[in-house]
Amino acid sequence: MPIRFYNTLTRKKEVFQPIKEGEVGMYTCGPTVYDYAHIGNFRTFIFEDLLKRYLLHRGYKVYHIMNITDIDDKTIKRSREENTPLGQMTDKFTGHFMDDSNWLKIIPANEYPRATDSIPKMIEMIQLLLEKKYAYTDNDGSIYFNIQSYPDYGQLTNLDLNAQRTTNRIASDEYTKDDPQDFALWKGWKEEDGDVAWDAPWGKGRPGWHIECSAMSNQYLGDHFDIHCGGVDNIFPHHENEIAQSKCATDQPFANHWLHSEHLLVEGGKMSKSLGNFYQIKDLVDLGYSPENIRYQLLSGHYRTRITFSADKKHEGDRVVNRIFDLKSRLIELGAYSAAESQLPAVYNEFINKLDDDLDSPGALSLFFQWMRTQNSKFDKGIYNDRDIGESWEFLCVLESIFGIVKIDSDHIPNEVIHLAEQREEARKEENWEKADKIRDEVQSKGWIIEDLVTGYKIKKT
Ligand code: AMP
Ligand code: ZN
């Protein structure tokens, strides 16, 4: 069955057809680095990680760009409040974001462009929009996009502009869809911006948030690419505005598939600092969560349904993750590292059919758990053969490469070998093949083999 994703733009499930056979260009809106990212943000980032891991598993080459929003209303406000230079504050939170993502086993993007490094591209796009009369200058040196000049404005959000009041303009980056307005592409310099300003042909100022993603996606993925993602709160105004800016500037179709993940609620309600239910990753580490438990909790709900994160579910998450790990340990004891059989069980096809259907992660996981129960019962009763061991091992490896919920078996593989494998992975990323081969030989001399997978690697006994 072909892969089908729900496209927010057309409001239906569509067969996924990349522009270039076998390759996927994917842009995901990254964090606004004015604070630590919270577990809600990571619901979206882990959904995007699942999407990317799945496309990799299905054999696509994925080129993934995630931007870092290091200039917008929120970052400027926080740097003023803290009396810290903007760059210093955004560097600090970008670093924390990278550490948290890494801990959560999120596969790194190919590039993480920072908005402040792409200002010339933004100026170039705004210039085009001015020339083509989609934008106009305000008397404070700001530039606005005229939403009436683009008849398709509102398509993503399903807005009828004729039924709305549209005469106003809005300087702020965020507003509601009940009041769509001309939005700022460029904000003329104001006293409170301090030294945060860039020179443009029309005067000093800074970009609006929406033009940032239009410019960075264009810089790295071109005028027309495959997938654009974010959380549902990004649909309006951010993505609606991105479409308007990009299509009007380039006259090209922009992104084909728009995927949005629903919000994460915390203990039944909205996350809020005052309610004490506002989890950042460091809070969850303190509470004893493993990355696999968090990933399981977030991926066991479908990305288009709201889910609730609750500390009460920690125990259940640990139980599930431990059960998977117990199967892994059992298979290692039964000699899985040197198993000759490497087929996948029949249920694998059904598992893939679930994920092909708009990433039905709960459906796929439920099939996996049913199958795991059957396998465990065979092992309990001692009625298994080499094929059961080989198939179980292969399916576990697939589960890990798509979901990232299988704990590392550092008890079984010597630390030294794990460390060497990590070093080899680094060398491969840097395309230092000579070093990578040398490390592989060293690992082999210790009795282990590193096997490369599309998403990472696995270590086997020779
Ligand atoms: P921000 O750092 O605010 O730019 O948000 C980063 C990403 O997190 C965006 O894609 C948002 O849509 C997403 N996001 C924010 N809050 C939540 C939430 N409670 N649940 C899921 N995604 C969220
Ligand atoms: Zn964005």
Side-chain angles (χ1 to χ4, degrees):
M1 230 194 285
I3 299 180
R4 283 147 296 133
F5 294 135
Y6 180 85
N7 190 347
T8 312
L9 190 61
T10 55
R11 283 169 274 284
K12 54 178 194 270
K13 277 188 205 171
E14 287 174 355
V15 170
F16 175 64
Q17 190 65 56
I19 299 165
K20 197 165 169 206
E21 184 80 32
E23 294 185 18
V24 180
M26 168 168 158
Y27 185 89
T28 58
C29 288
T32 309
V33 281
Y34 70 109
D35 201 345
Y36 292 91
H38 56 65
I39 186 70
N41 302 131
F42 277 108
R43 179 194 188 181
T44 293
F45 300 140
I46 286 179
F47 144 67
E48 292 159 353
D49 188 51
L50 172 73
L51 170 63
K52 174 166 150 188
R53 282 167 175 260
Y54 191 58
L55 291 168
L56 288 169
H57 180 75
R58 298 288 265 120
Y60 290 100
K61 204 170 149 194
V62 181
Y63 187 55
H64 174 204
I65 307 300
M66 175 180 273
N67 74 293
I68 301 290
T69 306
D70 63 350
I71 165 87
D72 79 326
D73 297 347
K74 288 191 270 193
T75 44
I76 293 185
K77 184 164 175 272
R78 180 80 189 253
S79 101
R80 278 175 67 89
E81 280 166 8
E82 306 243 308
N83 203 13
T84 311
L86 184 69
Q88 192 179 323
M89 184 203 71
T90 56
D91 274 358
K92 174 178 141 190
F93 289 117
T94 304
H96 289 304
F97 170 72
M98 295 297 175
D99 291 346
D100 289 347
S101 298
N102 195 25
W103 185 77
L104 283 166
K105 298 164 74 169
I106 292 176
I107 299 181
N110 295 79
E111 304 283 348
Y112 290 97
R114 290 164 192 251
T116 50
D117 289 335
S118 305
I119 307 278
K121 184 79 194 173
M122 297 168 203
I123 292 177
E124 187 188 309
M125 262 185 149
I126 297 171
Q127 187 80 54
L128 265 176
L129 292 169
L130 279 169
E131 281 163 18
K132 293 176 156 188
K133 308 262 182 283
Y134 288 109
Y136 59 90
T137 315
D138 197 12
N139 42 22
D140 70 348
S142 297
I143 297 184
Y144 285 87
F145 185 93
N146 172 6
I147 58 174
Q148 294 291 2
S149 68
Y150 173 56
D152 285 343
Y153 190 86
Q155 213 172 40
L156 184 75
T157 322
N158 210 7
L159 283 180
D160 177 6
L161 267 199
N162 293 325
Q164 315 274 345
R165 180 168 58 88
T166 55
T167 47
N168 286 346
R169 67 189 74 135
I170 183 148
S172 156
D173 288 330
E174 289 178 86
Y175 50 98
T176 71
K177 65 176 187 220
D178 299 330
D179 198 11
Q181 301 175 54
D182 290 356
F183 58 89
L185 297 167
W186 187 262
K187 306 184 186 196
W189 182 84
K190 288 195 194 64
E191 191 87 35
E192 66 250 37
D193 292 339
D195 59 358
V196 181
W198 288 264
D199 287 322
W202 48 81
K204 198 161 95 163
R206 63 181 172 98
W209 172 36
H210 317 298
I211 195 73
E212 296 179 7
C213 285
S214 280
M216 287 182 274
S217 59
N218 190 280
Q219 189 158 338
Y220 289 86
L221 294 166
D223 294 347
H224 183 201
F225 57 93
D226 299 298
I227 300 182
H228 197 313
C229 298
V232 283
D233 59 316
N234 282 160
I235 298 174
F236 190 88
H238 187 49
H239 290 166
E240 191 72 62
N241 293 352
E242 269 188 59
I243 293 175
Q245 298 160 155
S246 295
K247 282 194 165 180
C248 293
T250 67
D251 294 317
Q252 292 296 316
F254 197 36
N256 283 353
H257 297 261
W258 288 83
L259 277 74
H260 293 98
S261 71
E262 250 305 341
H263 264 181
L264 179 78
L265 305 179
V266 173
E267 266 135 29
K270 213 172 136 37
M271 264 181 282
S272 108
K273 278 187 181 150
S274 57
L275 291 174
N277 62 2
F278 189 92
Y279 297 116
Q280 292 166 341
I281 301 307
K282 59 187 167 60
D283 304 325
L284 297 176
V285 172
D286 289 346
L287 288 170
Y289 274 86
S290 65
E292 290 81 11
N293 184 337
I294 297 173
R295 291 184 67 100
Y296 167 72
Q297 283 210 41
L298 297 179
L299 296 175
S300 57
H302 189 263
Y303 77 90
R304 287 198 293 118
T305 60
R306 286 190 180 177
I307 55 170
T308 302
F309 189 86
S310 155
D312 296 344
K313 292 190 196 152
K314 175 176 181 293
H315 179 67
E316 187 202 325
D318 282 339
R319 202 171 48 83
V320 172
V321 167
N322 289 338
R323 255 183 23 225
I324 301 173
F325 187 67
D326 288 346
L327 175 65
K328 180 171 179 174
S329 305
R330 181 172 216 176
L331 290 169
I332 291 168
E333 262 142 45
L334 291 172
Y337 276 135
S338 41
E341 288 281 349
S342 59
Q343 283 180 8
L344 278 157
V347 66
Y348 168 77
N349 290 331
E350 281 177 73
F351 175 86
I352 290 298
N353 284 344
K354 292 279 179 206
L355 292 168
D356 276 352
D357 183 10
D358 196 27
L359 289 177
D360 179 2
S361 58
L365 285 174
S366 137
L367 280 173
F368 179 86
F369 293 133
Q370 264 172 36
W371 165 87
M372 187 166 82
R373 268 194 295 278
T374 315
Q375 291 309 99
N376 271 330
S377 123
K378 284 189 198 167
F379 294 127
D380 287 344
K381 293 180 189 147
I383 41 169
Y384 61 88
N385 53 29
D386 281 354
R387 185 171 169 155
D388 283 309
I389 299 172
E391 282 187 353
S392 304
W393 185 249
E394 285 302 308
F395 201 13
L396 261 186
C397 289
V398 167
L399 182 80
E400 174 58 10
S401 74
I402 299 174
F403 284 89
I405 56 174
V406 185
K407 284 198 282 185
I408 295 171
D409 50 336
S410 41
D411 296 349
H412 299 272
I413 308 173
N415 276 341
E416 188 193 10
V417 171
I418 293 174
H419 186 60
L420 282 167
E422 281 165 1
Q423 282 181 351
R424 178 171 173 273
E425 194 63 7
E426 279 305 306
R428 276 164 50 80
K429 275 188 203 143
E430 288 159 13
E431 301 192 2
N432 187 343
W433 309 119
E434 201 181 319
K435 185 172 170 194
D437 287 350
K438 221 169 126 198
I439 300 176
R440 189 198 51 210
D441 294 346
E442 190 180 343
V443 168
Q444 203 154 355
S445 72
K446 295 181 190 300
W448 297 86
I449 294 175
I450 307 174
E451 226 176 72
D452 296 317
L453 306 172
V454 258
T455 49
Y457 55 87
K458 70 181 180 188
I459 305 173
K460 289 175 75 172
K461 270 231 168 76
T462 48

